[in-house]
């Protein structure tokens, strides 16, 4: 739904992230998006693994070999439809949804949590979802 912009998602809208559990306990991650400047779909396939216990949503994610980045779920609704995800620093933040919309109450709550955590939410890019791959 929203993100702080960074080079790997620059110029992308209609972004999605799919997660699936692999047999070895790692998580397969497929990120897709439509590049509005190049007018084409792009995707990156990576892997994630839990930093500690599997019941704590603290992961590290890699799309480039041995290099991993932090991926921490800092808020999630009771039905697991919406999540607020923080990266390794206040330069990385995502608001995720299983749908192409998010209820205003959850959006406001997540923005408040992010601000209290040190994020500049006015810099969030609200992603368009108007195409299908």
């Amino acid at each position: 739904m929203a993100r702080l912009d960074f080079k790997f998602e620059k110029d992308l809208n209609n972004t999605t992230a799919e997660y699936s559990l692999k047999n070895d306990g790692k998580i397969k991650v497929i990120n897709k998006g439509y590049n509005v400047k190049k007018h084409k779909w792009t995707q990156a396939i990576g892997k994630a693994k839990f930093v500690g216990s599997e019941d704590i949503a603290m992961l590290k994610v890699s799309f480039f070999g041995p290099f991993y980045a932090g991926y921490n779920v800092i808020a999630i609704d009771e039905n697991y439809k919406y999540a607020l995800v923080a990266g390794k620093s206040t330069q990385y933040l995502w608001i995720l949804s299983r749908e192409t919309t998010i209820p205003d109450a959850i959006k406001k709550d997540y923005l408040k949590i992010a601000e209290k955590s040190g994020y500049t939410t006015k810099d969030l890019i609200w992603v368009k979802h108007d195409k299908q791959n």
Side-chain angles (χ1 to χ4, degrees):
M1 296 304 310
R3 69 170 183 268
L4 291 177
D5 210 16
F6 68 105
K7 67 180 179 178
F8 298 114
E9 287 184 291
K10 188 147 187 73
D11 300 324
L12 298 183
N13 67 16
N14 295 281
T15 52
T16 60
E18 294 180 30
Y19 307 93
S20 57
L21 190 58
K22 295 167 52 173
N23 290 336
D24 63 2
K26 292 182 182 163
I27 300 164
K28 181 178 182 180
V29 182
I30 303 174
N31 287 350
K32 294 180 187 174
Y34 185 79
N35 188 307
V36 296
K37 292 201 174 168
K38 296 180 179 178
H39 304 286
K40 68 178 189 174
W41 289 94
T42 183
Q43 86 172 14
I45 299 174
K47 59 188 172 192
K49 55 186 173 182
F50 290 95
V51 173
S53 173
E54 291 183 8
D55 61 348
I56 298 174
M58 179 183 261
L59 303 153
K60 52 185 183 177
V61 179
S62 175
F63 289 94
F64 308 104
F67 305 104
Y68 283 84
Y71 186 92
N72 307 294
V73 178
I74 58 175
I76 194 161
D77 74 295
E78 62 185 23
N79 296 314
Y80 294 88
K81 290 174 82 173
Y82 315 103
L84 178 62
V85 178
K88 65 179 180 177
S89 72
T90 56
Q91 296 177 350
Y92 303 95
L93 183 72
W94 299 267
I95 296 176
L96 306 179
S97 173
R98 292 185 186 270
E99 306 164 345
T100 57
T101 61
I102 187 169
D104 283 337
I106 291 175
K107 177 180 171 180
K108 287 177 187 175
D109 187 37
Y110 286 4
L111 291 174
K112 190 181 297 182
I113 292 167
E115 288 166 5
K116 285 182 180 177
S117 299
Y119 288 90
T120 306
T121 59
K122 70 175 180 54
D123 293 339
L124 283 169
I125 293 172
W126 292 91
V127 179
K128 288 184 183 180
H129 287 279
D130 59 356
K131 295 187 184 307
Q132 290 187 0
N133 183 7

